[in-house]
Each structure stands twice: as C-alpha cells, then as structure tokens.
Amino acid sequence: MGYRVVVVGATGNVGREMLNILAEREFPVDEIAALASRKSMGTEISFGDKTVKTKDLDNFDFTGWDIALFAVGSEATKIYAPKAAASGCVVIDNSSLYRYDPAVPLIVPEVNADAIEGYKNKMIIANPNCSTAQMVVALKPLHDRARIKRVVVSTYQSVSGAGKEGIDELWDQTKGLYVPGQEVAPSKFTKQIAFNVIPHIDVFLDDGSTKEEWKMVAETKKILDKSIKVTATCVRVPVFVGHSESINIEFEDFLDEHEARDILREAPGVMVIDKRENGGYITPVECVGDYATYISRIRQDSTVDNGINLWCVSDNLRKGAALNAVQIAEVLGNRCLKKG
C-alpha cells in the first residue's frame, strides 16, 4: 500500500521537479494530485510515464491525503498549509514561512533526519533555503569529526532560484544585448543580470545583511548546531541552474585536508571531484539534474589554526528544493507513516 500525495504549485519549476523526482525515486505513490492556481487548472504535467492534469488549489479537499509537498510562496502557504494539516495531511513546505518556527522541524535528511518526529506538533515539516541545504550536507560530516566554530560563505546563486521570471530575464537580457531594439531592462532583479553579478538576494535588513544571508545563518544553526558562527554574502550570478558556494571553515580541532577529503568521499549525498589539474573540479553546468552535492577545491587555510576551504556546487532545484522535499517524504514514510 502506498501514499496519496499532493504537489501544490505543480506548474512551477520546483513543483515540476517534485513530480519528476517522486517518479525517478519510485516513491510509493498510490494516487497523485497536482494542484495549481485556477488560471493554470487543467494544465497537463508529466509524472513518470503518465500525464496528470492540474486541479484548482482553492477547491481542493486534503482529507484522506497523506503527504502534501508545497512549492508555492509564503502567502499561499499561509492559507493552504494549515488547511491541509488540519485535514490530517502532512505538509512538507518549501517556502520560508515555517522554517524558523520552533515547533516545526527544519530538515535536511543527511544531517538531522531524527528531527522528523517533530512533525506531529503541527503536521508540518519545513524544507530549508536552497543555499543552506547544500552547505549543511557538506558541513555535517566535518563537524562530526572536528567541531566547526565558524563558517564564512560566499554564494554564487543561479537565476532559477528566483523562479521562471528569473530564468526568463537572464535569457531575454542576454539576447537583447546582441539585438538592437530588443534590450530588456531589469525587472525581476535590481540590476542587469546578463554578464553581471548582483550582491543582493532578498530584502536588506537593518544590519546591512540581506534576508537571504540571514536565512543561511539562522537555518544552519537550527539544522546543524546553534553554536556555529556563520557569516554569508549571497550573490546572484548569470547561471540558469546550479548554486555554487565558496566555504571557509574554522574548526575547534585540527583537520588535515586529506582526512577532510576522505570524510567527504564517504558522506551521504556528497560527491567529491577534486583533482589539482585543469578541469579537476565541478561547475554548475555539470551538476544540473543530479542529486549529489559536489565538493571540489578542498585545501588547508593556513591563515587560521584549524581551517579548511572548499567549493560546493549543487542543483538548486533538486537538492536545494524538490529533492530534499522528496527525501523528507521518504524519511517520513519509513520512520513514521510506514505505509509504503
């Protein structure tokens, strides 16, 4: 016996990936419902070798459904997630709405799967921010060995993190720069994204950081260890899919770069590509469509007593969003619901 699964926001980038990954990983689905706004109702979407038509979220009854994967913004989630939860359907939410609620578990299965039991508090589980998810997958096995004191991270985040509008703006701006009369002014982003980088993701806070940077700090502490100090600079780059991160880690205990490389090679969800030669590292183009969090450029930081630098790349629509949500559903099923 399998699960009755709902995907909310099924016509968006992440919603479509959720459907793809449910099928790819052969999640035990007895029945699938793809929900979207009324204007998208009836849109045909692929689910494995089948095609499903989207239904209207406004009129959907969650009673009798087991798991709902939410891939809509916080405003819609605020309306519909409590309705689903009240109907006995466990919500796995990709928005930021519940991430910082102490009663809601925030989960990356390779890092803190044991927190899954907390779903009973509100029948809701939060999916972390895309940039946090890949980073904590890399940090966890190293933290277990040498205890992390401080992390300095700079991100290089693709435009798909801003949704379809972000992808379209990069595409249209790039074309427009070569075709006179077809120039495209910034709309989704605050400045031109084509052939440019923008050190600004989400809104600015009073201390000069952005909300995206604050998310990385708060979520790392909640998922991994509240004692870890984190400082982040988040940058949007002209890449369609795949987030990259330059991570500097300071440990309490000494950790040799060779041991760090060996630890990461054995870590769940991690793939190490690290040769000190031309092309001996991963870039966003190569990670698209993959499940792994890729690690390259592992090396000692000689400027601190116990420091390591590394380069971390992952498909933000997968591990950063849809894949992590499906992995949470797998843990929920195996440990708690136990139907499949």
Side-chain angles (χ1 to χ4, degrees), residues 28-337:
V29 174
D30 268 2
E31 187 176 354
I32 193 85
L35 307 186
S37 62
R38 188 163 296 161
K39 67 179 182 181
S40 300
M41 190 170 64
T43 301
E44 292 190 342
I45 298 178
S46 297
F47 174 60
D49 57 2
K50 303 174 185 174
T51 300
V52 295
K53 287 189 176 182
T54 58
K55 299 178 180 178
D56 180 14
L57 172 58
D58 273 337
N59 297 322
F60 189 77
D61 183 359
F62 288 91
T63 304
W65 293 82
D66 299 300
I67 300 170
L69 305 179
F70 270 64
V72 290
S74 293
E75 290 304 311
T77 300
K78 189 184 297 184
I79 297 168
Y80 298 104
K83 291 181 179 180
S87 300
C89 179
V90 183
V91 171
I92 300 172
D93 175 34
N94 196 59
S95 81
S96 62
L97 183 64
Y98 293 104
R99 289 177 190 158
Y100 318 107
D101 184 332
V104 174
L106 177 66
I107 292 180
V108 175
E110 296 93 336
V111 179
N112 64 334
D114 290 345
I116 196 79
E117 295 291 342
Y119 87 92
K120 296 172 185 173
N121 296 334
K122 290 189 174 183
M123 297 291 283
I124 296 172
I125 302 166
N127 210 23
N129 190 40
C130 46
S131 48
T132 306
Q134 69 187 68
M135 183 172 77
V136 296
V137 168
L139 295 182
K140 166 66 172 172
L142 302 177
H143 183 57
D144 287 347
R145 161 61 181 82
R147 307 299 297 172
I148 295 172
K149 289 170 57 179
R150 181 172 184 255
V151 174
V152 181
V153 57
S154 297
T155 71
Y156 308 78
Q157 295 178 228
S158 69
V159 294
S160 56
K164 184 178 182 299
E165 291 175 344
I167 293 173
D168 290 346
E169 188 156 312
L170 173 57
W171 177 256
D172 292 340
Q173 269 186 2
T174 303
K175 288 192 300 180
L177 287 170
Y178 290 100
V179 182
Q182 292 189 19
E183 296 85 359
V184 176
S187 173
K188 181 65 178 178
F189 302 112
T190 54
K191 294 202 174 189
Q192 174 184 311
I193 187 60
F195 305 102
N196 199 17
V197 299
I198 304 172
H200 175 195
I201 301 176
D202 212 326
V203 297
F204 277 100
L205 306 178
D206 290 341
D207 67 354
S209 63
T210 64
K211 186 71 176 292
E212 185 82 357
E213 292 155 359
W214 176 86
K215 289 174 188 175
M216 292 195 75
V217 175
E219 292 174 21
T220 300
K221 288 176 176 290
K222 182 171 179 178
I223 295 166
L224 187 55
D225 189 328
K226 65 178 183 294
S227 68
I228 296 175
K229 295 178 180 178
V230 181
T231 182
T233 300
C234 294
V235 182
R236 190 73 72 189
V237 298
V239 170
F240 285 112
V241 178
H243 286 358
S244 304
E245 298 171 348
S246 171
I247 308 175
N248 174 266
I249 313 162
E250 185 179 352
F251 298 91
E252 290 183 8
D253 302 321
F254 179 75
L255 179 61
D256 176 79
E257 65 184 57
H258 302 293
E259 185 182 357
R261 192 175 289 106
D262 290 341
I263 288 169
L264 288 167
R265 281 203 174 106
E266 298 299 319
V270 173
M271 180 73 71
V272 175
I273 307 290
D274 191 19
K275 295 180 180 179
R276 293 176 177 179
E277 61 187 41
N278 291 345
Y281 41 80
I282 200 75
T283 65
V285 168
E286 291 122 30
C287 84
V288 175
D290 284 354
Y291 291 154
T293 294
Y294 286 91
I295 307 295
S296 303
R297 302 291 319 282
I298 303 164
R299 61 206 188 277
Q300 222 78 46
D301 174 9
S302 61
T303 67
V304 293
D305 287 339
N306 303 312
I308 292 281
N309 287 305
L310 56 83
W311 175 250
C312 176
V313 180
S314 193
D315 182 328
N316 55 291
L317 298 179
R318 292 207 150 206
K319 186 56 192 170
L323 171 62
N324 200 72
V326 174
Q327 288 176 308
I328 292 171
E330 291 169 346
V331 174
L332 180 70
N334 292 334
R335 296 195 184 189
C336 305
L337 304 184

